[in-house]
Amino acid sequence: MIATLPLVEPLRLERAQELLRYPGPCVTITLPPYQPGAASPAPAAMLKTFLQDAERHLAARKTANASIEELLGPLDDIVKDAELLRGSRWGSVLFRAPGIFRHVHLTAPPRAAVTVAGCFQIRPLLDELNLPSEFFVLKLFKDHVALTHCDGFRVEAVPLPRNIPATLEQALALEPPDHDLENRSSAGPGSGTGTGPGHARGVRFGTGSGRETKHAHLADFYKIVDRGLNEFLRGRGTSLVLAGVEEDTSMYRGVNSYPNLVPGSIHGSAETFLPDADLLQHGAALLREARGARQAKALAQWKENVTPARFLTDIYTILPAAFEGRVHKLYLNTDADHTGVFERDDYASCGPEDLLNLAGVQTLLHGGEVCAMPADAMPEAAAAAAILRF
């Protein structure tokens, strides 16, 4: 018997595909974040209620008592686990099926729920599933920068590459600006002491205040940082998130040339910068938002360009194609509810289930891509849209 929570890990696509291969009955339990003293129920109490619900579901599906006890026993053991009682700032998911018990953390708070079906419930987790394994956060201060690496749930400051100055002062010493706010202009006749009539010489004039000078120097500093980060990150293809006040993030975005800079920024000043866990959470939210915008655009393009025979929106047509491995991309409406029975020779044929989730699971198992989309991004607010390989 498993007496404590299994190893905690982030939810990632490559691990999920292994998870989804396990046959049912599959129990999926999502628990939202919890801080002791909060008004919401403690995770242990919530888990206890969910286990009672799961037992009823399993009994209704005519699962043998011995099988129910074997399946739910490890989950029941952790109701009293000290770690669970202490709560967590992260949401979590417990996956339990014959032969597997997995616990993952989520950067976005999930809705509390329990599902018993022939496969694990991954629909509410698709945005998390598609997060990159790592990303960097560039903190912009008024006169210096710092780099943070987010890898799973590990957040750590990392040294800047040697070719990136950490401060504005270092940047000016390394590479003096190629502009001077005191420019030269040709003076008119009589303005100089030349040797002939009408002779003019260059005169200096001021075109900016001290603030404008600093603004220009800061832009030069950010250009050097951008150039160095391009060399450092381009080979990895890693996303970069900006953190700072709007004036600084806007200026950096204006000189940026790195293709994987994420739209939107984490807002905060040097005095109020978020703790590492908040940087991770806010950075992940920006990544989810950016991916959602890209997928909405891609879906609209697919609808316009793909042949009608390869663009399906009927779930009962999509499901057989998903089982056959013909679905290349599947878009699922986050607001849709499509419970039904899809007969096949496994545990799931014993009762109704979330058919959209089932289509998503089969698409992932066959190497397709699955995306969660808001209703207003779906064609005619369809519950699902699939692009077939053939």
Side-chain angles (χ1 to χ4, degrees):
M1 282 292 213
I2 301 172
T4 57
L5 283 170
L7 180 66
V8 176
E9 57 183 310
L11 182 63
R12 292 292 178 261
L13 182 59
E14 59 275 10
R15 300 300 299 273
Q17 288 172 323
E18 173 195 347
L19 189 73
L20 297 176
R21 289 190 173 89
Y22 282 83
C26 296
V27 179
T28 311
I29 296 175
T30 50
L31 299 172
Y34 174 77
Q35 296 298 326
S40 57
M46 203 177 298
L47 180 56
K48 187 174 182 179
T49 300
F50 285 159
L51 290 179
Q52 293 169 350
D53 292 342
E55 185 174 358
R56 284 195 296 271
H57 280 295
L58 290 163
R61 291 172 178 252
K62 301 185 179 359
T63 307
N65 288 337
S67 297
I68 294 176
E69 183 177 346
E70 182 180 356
L71 187 68
L72 301 184
L75 290 164
D76 191 49
D77 287 343
I78 67 170
V79 169
K80 304 180 188 66
D81 188 272
E83 290 295 324
L84 190 66
L85 291 172
R86 273 198 288 270
S88 171
R89 69 162 293 132
W90 307 110
S92 61
V93 190
L94 296 167
F95 296 104
R96 174 64 176 146
I100 189 169
F101 185 18
R102 191 69 56 79
H103 177 215
V104 300
H105 273 166
L106 307 171
T107 58
R111 182 178 63 86
V114 59
T115 304
V116 180
C119 56
F120 289 116
Q121 184 72 12
I122 51 92
R123 254 185 85 197
L125 312 174
L126 288 171
D127 284 342
E128 191 81 20
L129 201 65
N130 288 306
L131 279 177
S133 60
E134 65 168 358
F135 63 93
F136 285 85
V137 178
L138 179 65
K139 296 179 181 179
L140 302 173
F141 302 88
K142 282 300 176 189
D143 57 359
H144 67 284
V145 298
L147 195 61
T148 297
H149 183 218
C150 299
D151 181 3
F153 284 88
R154 293 189 300 275
V155 182
E156 60 179 351
V158 294
L160 289 166
R162 293 179 63 182
N163 61 338
I164 300 180
T167 68
L168 174 59
E169 184 180 3
Q170 291 174 4
L172 291 174
L174 177 70
E175 190 170 319
D178 59 2
H179 49 72
D180 188 339
L181 292 182
E182 282 195 330
N183 297 309
R184 292 188 176 272
S185 173
S186 294
S191 62
T193 57
T195 58
H199 173 79
R201 67 177 179 84
V203 297
R204 296 159 68 88
F205 64 94
T207 61
S209 65
R211 175 180 172 81
E212 290 173 327
T213 302
K214 185 173 181 180
H215 188 279
H217 290 174
L218 191 59
D220 285 329
F221 174 35
Y222 287 164
K223 288 177 185 176
I224 299 172
V225 173
D226 167 66
R227 189 164 63 233
L229 283 179
N230 254 296
E231 295 176 13
F232 177 62
L233 298 176
R234 190 178 289 274
R236 307 168 72 128
T238 312
S239 295
L240 178 65
V241 175
L242 298 182
V245 297
E246 185 174 355
E247 180 182 8
D248 294 334
T249 58
S250 295
M251 184 186 298
Y252 189 93
R253 206 173 290 279
V255 301
N256 171 71
S257 61
Y258 182 59
N260 292 334
L261 181 67
V262 176
S265 304
I266 302 172
H267 299 293
S269 66
E271 296 76 22
T272 61
F273 253 135
L274 300 169
D276 284 347
D278 288 335
L279 278 180
L280 169 61
Q281 194 165 38
H282 286 270
L286 290 172
L287 287 165
R288 287 192 296 269
E289 184 180 329
R291 187 176 189 278
R294 291 195 304 271
Q295 293 301 330
K297 182 178 180 180
L299 175 56
Q301 291 173 340
W302 279 114
K303 187 177 185 301
E304 289 298 318
N305 299 321
V306 75
T307 60
R310 290 179 55 214
F311 189 87
L312 308 179
T313 56
D314 174 63
I315 187 59
Y316 289 102
T317 308
I318 292 171
L319 269 169
F323 272 86
E324 294 163 5
R326 294 193 294 122
V327 176
H328 173 50
K329 289 185 180 289
L330 179 64
Y331 300 88
L332 298 176
N333 187 331
T334 54
D335 299 328
D337 181 13
H338 213 310
T339 302
V341 175
F342 185 74
E343 292 291 347
R344 58 198 192 280
D345 296 330
D346 65 7
Y347 175 81
S349 63
C350 297
E353 61 189 316
D354 181 348
L355 297 183
L356 300 176
N357 182 73
L358 179 60
V361 167
Q362 288 299 317
T363 299
L364 289 174
L365 286 175
H366 288 89
E369 184 179 0
V370 186
C371 310
M373 302 293 291
D376 59 6
M378 297 293 292
E380 291 79 46
I387 291 88
L388 302 187
R389 292 188 172 99
F390 54 90

